[in-house]
Amino acid sequence: MSVGEERRSSLSGRLARLGFTDVDRAEQLLTLIELLDAIPVVDALGAAADPDLALNGLVRLIEAAPDADALRTELQTGAGLRARLLGVLGASDALGEHLARHPDDWRVLADDAVTASRPTTLGLRQQLLRAIGADPLASEPVAAGTNADVLDALRAAYRRCLLGLAARDLSGAVMVDEVAGELADLAGATLTAALAVARAGLPADAAPCHLAVIGMGKCGGRELNYVSDVDVIFVAESADGAESEEAALKTATALAAGIARVCSETTSEGSIWPVDAALRPEGKAGPLVRTLASHEAYYKRWAKPWEFQALMKARPVAGDLELGQRWIDAVAPLVWSAGERPGFIDAVRAMRRRVEDTLPAAEAERELKLGPGGLRDVEFAVQLLQLVHGRADLSLRSVTTLDALDALAQGGYVGREDAASLGAAYRFLRNVEHRLQLHRLRRTHLIPDDEPSLRRIGRALGYTRDPVAELHAAHAQHAREVRRLHEKLFYRPLLAAVARLPADDTRLTPDQARTRLEALGYADPAGALRHLEALTAGVSRRASIQRTLLPVMLGWFADAADPDGGLLAFRQVSDALGSTPWYLRLLRDEGMTAERLARLLGGSKYVADLIARAPEAVRLLADDAELELPPAPALTAEFLAAVGRREDWDTAVVTVRGLRRRELLRTAMADLLGLRDQRDVGVALSDVASATVAAALDAAYRKVEGEWRRPLPMKLAVIGMGRFGGGEQGYGSDADVLFVHEPAPFVADDEAAQAAHEVANEMRRLLALPAPDPPLEVDADLRPEGRQGPLTRSIASYAAYYERWASVWEAQALLRARPIAGDVETGERFLDVINPLRWPDGGLDAASVREIRRIKARVESERLPRGADPAMHTKLGRGGLADVEWTVQLLQLMHAHEHPSLRTTGTLAALDAAREAGLLDADDADTLEAAWRLATRVRNAIVLSRGRAADSLPTDVRELAGVARAVGYPAGHTADLLEDYRRLTRRARAVVERTFYS
């Protein structure tokens, strides 16, 4: 190898070690700009976030610079310039382009004073005003003009300021919060210059006015990004000499519009950033500029909760600062008293959830701002604590997140260590955001997924060993910490108000604790504190574990529909199981179990009531497999075995009802956790009811047989009807049945009927015994002649009745008949009797079809409860369950003789069969199915949420919200449930009109 080749090989290896990805091109470019042998320059390039990007920018700059030799000399001799310039070029392609257009601006970075101090707010304003030819000492500066040259000059001056700031930032001379503050000051200076340009464009006869620009959001909070919309509100007043307030407002509006145009318009130098005034009263629909009095009137009467939260960041930034301060003084009392309004905090939290819901799932983990553990989590936590405690504590009313967090720690509302951890996480996330935006000077909060970009960001943050892996690890760690502290900040300090906590400097007074609980959605904060005290008092292992669990669980309760009910139920369960070794260990070690328990107890009174009576069922939540209902035969066998082990029949059925409670709870928990389809829920509830009836029938049979002192002279079967027969039971459904018996050989009919009646009656009595569990009422009113007819009939009696007296509605009711319990052969023989009636050969004649339609119309007009909203009644309302079921049943009666697949007792199975047979258009069938599923789910959710059955959607806002959550809608989306329900049932009703009544 020649000396030249050896030297070239050594150089290539060195460039690769420094981080250049294309070493051949790097060597060529360094040769081109005559810096190949300038070791300090090459090393500084290698220290940049992206050495290749830095070299490309340096080449462009040297080629454009009129004093390239001076620049090369300064780079080789000036360590400060070298580090600052190449650091900026390696992190920001956009600032590299600026330097290529304005090559003299490199001298901004040549002065070591750039890193020694940052410019003052006044200095920034004077610098930008001079750039547009305005007198920086004038009380109302006016620019030299409004033409493109003036706008270009403003943009170039703005980026010169960015250049110095980026150099200080990338060199570590300033902290991220100082960077954000300087960016906000620069935004205020830019708005001041833009106002001067706008004044230059006013007509000579414009009415004088005072205009204040109020910074909002990150601008107002002095935590602006490198690239962001600048949120503002404009407030104006007449000045001396104005002929009217209207004329002054016209001038102010022209100035405000001019400011927005100057900042956002694209020229040869690009644009600065958009000015966004959408946070003003009435948003984009409202006037751009209002007077102070108009603003005050609006906020007192019309403002929404989110507007007051936004006003927490308000700060005068440009224009008439005295007017701006008067505006702040006027709205501040309204902001800090807004938290006392009913539902204020709920509305704020609901808005947060809506923002999270808009985030695409595929991007959530990479989203710095809105993702889990992101910037918004920190800001929301701090702002909510400010709103809660800032009413009384003026020290908390800072517009800046980190300052407010420090004040919360100083005031004892947040532990100092927690505040420090949260602040560190926030600074990290903001640093990543700044490095991300600096590259192209584009607004983004999404961490890239390509390795070169991740490598550049990681190196810019100081990760050198494995920049990509180190960046990912740091982001994941900080995101987890934010989520953890988000919960701890709110809930752990509450325990300090009622229990002794280990080493924690957070102390809330009882009044402060009640205020915080109320703000978090607890309707009875005093009661909640009593529960916390009972759960955490003392030095026992149980109390210690509870103090560990409750800060997290309180957050889950707060997110549920009924936080108070959830906490109360948790206390009851803990009291019942607190001494049981496995209970608290399960909650502590299995996080999923604790979260599930909290959400179920806070979201379902039905589940809370059942768990209070069967607390050991908490075990089921630890494993999804435990929430699967046993197969129906196994379930029935278990229930029958429980009866067989008891001599006292009343006690035996009490035991069976306890088993039913367990299975109802298992089904409800799986349902609310989204582990079971609504169709499967109906089957599960029907199987539980079947096993219960079978066990009660066995107990009744054996009891009556003991009283007769001989084998009973008949066989008895229970036939399920309605939803029970269709396998579509709801949580609040009765068990509709028919009793059918068959006399034993050589036994008189009346003797068999008496025995059958006694067994059927005893079974109903046993199931009706008073108990705290949800009742299973056995309803036999669908029998021939209704309540006036005998409770049970023989097969021959049923056959004779149906042959002579059966009406079309009875044939319709028999469509769902299915043997449930008792003698299997008797049940099958009963089906042989009714099948020709419910699946008539040749279908229905026209008169029968008319009769069914007439009965349905009468049901609609007469059976809907007085005052009920037909659009909201799940059973009898328009497009509800009855509409869908009657439509399907009419098709079964008319066509089951030619389509055997229609011979099913289930609504959805029959609907599927009608679709497949071409009896229903596929879209119509889909519409009916969707409406039926939603109505069924809503009907069940009413029971789950409220603990009692009802057929109409509740009108109470809180109850309706609970139902929506039980259906599966996120918090804050109650209106979506109503909209979806109305839409689906409206469409279903149209199908019913077309297919049932047509």
Side-chain angles (χ1 to χ4, degrees):
M1 180 182 295
S2 67
V3 175
E5 290 173 336
E6 184 177 349
R7 179 177 181 278
R8 186 174 298 109
S9 175
S10 174
L11 178 61
S12 297
R14 181 164 171 269
L15 292 174
R17 287 192 299 274
L18 286 171
F20 290 92
T21 57
D22 188 344
V23 294
D24 291 336
R25 185 170 184 274
E27 186 176 346
Q28 293 170 4
L29 292 176
L30 285 167
T31 302
L32 175 66
I33 61 175
E34 304 174 19
L35 289 173
L36 182 62
D37 296 323
I39 293 175
V41 176
V42 175
D43 286 346
L45 285 167
D50 185 340
D52 296 280
L53 180 63
L55 180 54
N56 289 338
L58 182 59
V59 170
R60 286 184 294 176
L61 173 57
I62 288 177
E63 288 179 341
D67 51 355
D69 289 339
L71 174 56
R72 271 190 288 265
T73 300
E74 288 282 352
L75 281 171
Q76 294 182 71
T77 60
L81 169 67
R82 189 165 58 238
R84 290 188 288 272
L85 176 60
L86 299 183
V88 169
L89 292 175
S92 178
D93 192 35
L95 289 177
E97 291 178 359
H98 170 79
L99 282 168
R101 287 197 307 274
H102 302 277
D104 285 339
D105 282 0
W106 69 265
R107 296 186 181 278
V108 171
L109 305 180
D111 186 354
D112 288 339
V114 167
T115 60
S117 62
R118 69 178 186 86
T120 63
T121 303
L122 179 60
L124 288 170
R125 292 186 181 189
Q126 290 178 344
Q127 187 174 342
L128 294 188
L129 287 170
R130 288 193 189 99
I132 60 171
D135 180 2
L137 301 180
S139 59
E140 291 189 348
V142 179
T146 61
N147 55 31
D149 289 342
V150 172
L151 299 187
D152 283 345
L154 178 59
R155 282 148 178 73
Y158 175 82
R159 286 192 174 80
R160 259 192 306 279
C161 294
L162 276 188
L163 190 63
L165 174 57
R168 289 191 297 278
D169 182 8
L170 293 164
S171 66
V174 287
M175 299 289 289
V176 65
D177 41 333
E178 295 175 295
V179 174
E182 186 173 333
L183 284 166
D185 291 343
L186 180 56
T190 306
L191 290 167
T192 299
L195 177 56
V197 175
R199 279 202 183 95
L202 285 177
D205 60 348
C209 71
H210 298 293
L211 177 67
V213 184
I214 309 297
M216 302 288 288
K218 290 187 178 299
C219 178
R222 300 196 75 251
E223 47 196 16
L224 201 61
N225 302 327
Y226 274 102
V227 186
S228 177
D229 291 355
V230 171
D231 296 309
V232 300
I233 287 177
F234 296 107
V235 57
E237 278 192 349
S238 300
D240 292 341
E243 60 186 59
S244 66
E245 184 178 272
E246 183 180 353
L249 280 175
K250 182 178 179 181
T251 300
T253 301
L255 289 173
I259 290 172
R261 180 187 64 81
V262 169
C263 294
S264 61
E265 188 173 285
T266 300
T267 71
S268 61
E269 289 286 340
S271 65
I272 303 177
W273 21 248
V275 173
D276 189 345
L279 292 177
R280 67 185 184 267
E282 300 181 79
K284 294 180 180 179
L288 183 61
V289 181
R290 287 177 183 256
T291 63
L292 174 57
S294 176
H295 275 102
E296 194 171 3
Y298 172 84
Y299 288 124
K300 283 182 176 178
R301 186 171 184 185
W302 302 109
K304 298 179 176 62
W306 68 263
E307 292 180 275
F308 290 111
Q309 186 180 7
L311 288 172
M312 292 172 64
K313 297 283 189 184
R315 179 176 63 93
V317 294
D320 189 328
L321 299 181
E322 187 273 333
L323 171 60
Q325 188 57 50
R326 285 195 286 120
W327 184 90
I328 293 290
D329 294 340
V331 301
L334 303 176
V335 172
W336 296 106
S337 63
E340 300 170 3
R341 299 186 178 193
F344 176 79
I345 301 296
D346 283 345
V348 171
R349 299 175 75 204
M351 184 180 69
R352 168 71 179 126
R353 295 189 190 100
R354 284 196 295 274
V355 171
E356 288 179 334
D357 293 342
T358 63
L359 196 62
E363 298 179 355
E365 295 300 322
R366 296 192 291 125
E367 172 63 52
L368 287 166
K369 182 178 180 181
L370 304 178
L375 291 163
R376 188 57 61 84
D377 269 356
V378 181
E379 293 162 355
F380 176 79
V382 171
Q383 288 172 24
L384 194 52
L385 288 174
Q386 284 181 279
L387 284 168
V388 172
H389 301 295
R391 306 175 199 173
D393 191 339
L394 302 184
S395 70
L396 304 182
R397 300 182 180 184
S398 172
V399 297
T400 305
T401 299
L402 290 173
D403 290 346
L405 184 57
D406 287 343
L408 287 164
Q410 291 288 338
Y413 305 99
V414 176
R416 293 180 187 275
E417 290 184 6
D418 291 342
S421 295
L422 198 65
Y426 186 72
R427 288 184 174 93
F428 168 82
L429 294 169
R430 292 302 305 273
N431 259 324
V432 175
E433 184 181 46
H434 283 179
R435 300 298 178 266
L436 182 61
Q437 294 184 349
L438 254 179
H439 183 227
R440 300 281 188 189
L441 286 183
R442 290 178 184 166
R443 183 185 181 191
T444 179
H445 310 284
L446 193 65
I447 296 177
D449 52 8
D450 64 289
E451 187 159 337
S453 297
L454 290 169
R455 183 170 175 270
R456 183 190 68 252
I457 295 170
R459 283 171 60 98
L461 291 169
Y463 303 128
T464 55
R465 180 175 299 177
D466 187 348
V468 175
E470 291 178 81
L471 173 62
H472 279 313
H475 179 231
Q477 189 270 330
H478 282 296
R480 284 194 303 270
E481 186 72 354
V482 168
R483 274 296 188 185
R484 182 185 73 81
L485 290 172
H486 182 74
E487 295 158 350
K488 186 178 177 182
L489 285 177
F490 283 110
Y491 305 110
R492 186 172 177 81
L494 292 168
L495 304 189
V498 295
R500 182 178 300 172
L501 291 179
D504 193 322
D505 59 359
T506 306
R507 287 291 181 268
L508 299 182
T509 67
D511 284 343
Q512 290 168 342
R514 282 191 289 271
T515 299
R516 185 174 294 196
L517 281 166
E518 185 179 9
L520 293 167
Y522 288 83
D524 180 14
L529 285 176
R530 288 194 297 272
H531 299 323
L532 293 179
E533 185 172 12
L535 288 165
T536 60
V539 294
S540 65
R541 175 178 173 274
R542 170 186 172 185
S544 177
I545 295 177
Q546 288 284 21
R547 288 195 289 267
T548 301
L549 288 171
L550 280 166
V552 178
M553 296 194 72
L554 281 170
W556 291 328
F557 289 135
D559 283 337
D562 182 8
D564 300 88
L567 181 57
L568 170 61
F570 179 68
R571 178 183 173 183
Q572 292 170 338
V573 172
S574 295
D575 287 346
L577 294 176
S579 59
T580 307
W582 59 265
Y583 169 62
L584 288 175
R585 185 173 64 248
L586 178 68
L587 296 186
R588 182 193 63 194
D589 299 339
E590 298 288 340
M592 177 181 72
T593 304
E595 181 174 3
R596 284 178 165 181
L597 179 63
R599 297 196 185 285
L600 289 170
L601 294 179
S604 172
K605 192 172 188 309
Y606 184 88
V607 168
D609 289 346
L610 287 176
I611 287 185
R613 292 190 291 277
E616 68 281 353
V618 171
R619 285 181 182 271
L620 301 176
L621 295 173
D623 186 355
D624 287 356
E626 291 293 329
L627 294 173
E628 290 291 332
L629 196 69
L635 196 66
T636 300
E638 180 187 9
F639 280 39
L640 288 171
V643 168
R645 290 192 293 267
R646 300 289 191 279
E647 294 296 332
D648 179 350
W649 309 116
D650 287 12
T651 303
V653 173
V654 168
T655 301
V656 168
R657 290 169 70 169
L659 295 175
R660 173 175 176 260
R661 178 198 313 133
R662 180 197 68 196
E663 300 309 327
L664 288 176
L665 188 51
R666 191 196 308 267
T667 301
M669 291 191 298
D671 184 5
L672 287 166
L673 294 172
L675 301 177
R676 187 162 292 163
D677 177 78
Q678 201 58 36
R679 192 171 188 172
D680 296 335
V681 169
V683 172
L685 292 173
S686 300
D687 288 347
V688 173
S690 297
T692 305
V693 167
L697 178 65
D698 184 65
Y701 199 97
R702 292 164 64 188
K703 179 181 181 181
V704 172
E705 192 171 57
E707 292 172 348
W708 279 51
R709 299 180 182 275
R710 58 187 172 88
L712 294 181
M714 52 78 200
K715 296 176 181 179
L716 181 67
V718 181
I719 309 299
M721 300 289 285
R723 294 188 171 279
F724 191 19
E728 298 164 350
Q729 283 281 91
Y731 294 103
S733 298
D734 295 340
D736 293 315
V737 301
L738 297 178
F739 293 102
V740 56
H741 66 268
E742 185 75 325
F746 313 112
V747 172
D749 287 347
D750 57 349
E751 183 182 358
Q754 181 184 353
H757 178 85
E758 289 184 21
V759 171
N761 211 41
E762 177 62 15
M763 187 200 86
R764 297 175 74 194
R765 185 193 73 80
L766 289 171
L767 288 176
L769 289 172
D773 302 313
L776 179 64
E777 183 177 339
V778 176
D779 187 343
D781 288 354
L782 289 176
R783 64 186 184 266
E785 302 177 79
R787 294 180 181 179
Q788 282 70 45
L791 182 60
T792 178
R793 289 174 181 262
S794 67
I795 291 177
S797 175
Y798 273 109
Y801 173 85
Y802 287 136
E803 181 179 0
R804 184 173 183 183
W805 302 107
S807 61
V808 68
W809 74 262
E810 289 177 298
Q812 182 182 355
L814 290 169
L815 285 169
R816 293 188 168 196
R818 175 172 63 96
I820 293 298
D823 185 68
V824 175
E825 183 180 349
T826 301
E828 292 298 326
R829 291 188 60 198
F830 175 78
L831 294 185
D832 292 338
V833 168
I834 66 170
N835 283 345
L837 182 64
R838 60 179 176 172
W839 301 324
D841 189 20
L844 291 181
D845 56 31
S848 296
V849 172
R850 284 195 300 272
E851 177 63 9
I852 288 177
R853 290 173 175 161
R854 185 192 67 80
I855 295 172
K856 175 69 167 68
R858 184 177 175 184
V859 167
E860 289 180 17
S861 63
E862 296 180 3
R863 292 189 57 191
L864 193 70
R866 183 185 300 273
D869 182 355
M872 294 289 104
H873 198 279
T874 60
K875 183 177 180 180
L876 301 176
R878 294 189 293 268
L881 296 173
D883 267 1
V884 177
E885 290 164 0
W886 281 63
T887 299
V888 171
Q889 289 161 15
L890 180 59
L891 292 174
Q892 288 180 283
L893 289 167
M894 294 174 67
H895 301 287
H897 67 285
E898 56 184 348
H899 297 289
S901 60
L902 286 169
R903 299 173 189 176
T904 178
T905 61
T907 300
L908 293 184
L911 191 56
D912 290 341
R915 181 195 286 111
E916 291 298 320
L919 302 174
L920 269 178
D921 177 79
D923 289 341
D924 287 349
D926 290 345
T927 296
L928 293 179
E929 178 176 346
W932 188 91
R933 283 182 179 274
L934 182 56
T936 299
R937 187 159 185 78
V938 167
R939 200 169 184 229
N940 279 338
I942 292 172
V943 180
L944 290 172
S945 175
R946 303 169 68 191
R948 61 184 188 277
D951 289 321
S952 287
L953 279 158
T955 55
D956 179 81
V957 174
R958 290 182 67 90
E959 288 190 354
L960 184 59
V963 171
R965 295 292 294 276
V967 171
Y969 287 83
H973 288 254
T974 305
D976 293 343
L977 168 63
L978 293 176
E979 182 181 344
D980 290 346
Y981 187 83
R982 289 190 178 104
R983 174 175 50 82
L984 285 174
T985 54
R986 186 171 59 247
R987 292 174 58 193
R989 180 64 183 190
V991 174
V992 171
E993 295 283 358
R994 194 165 57 249
T995 57
F996 181 85
Y997 285 111
S998 171

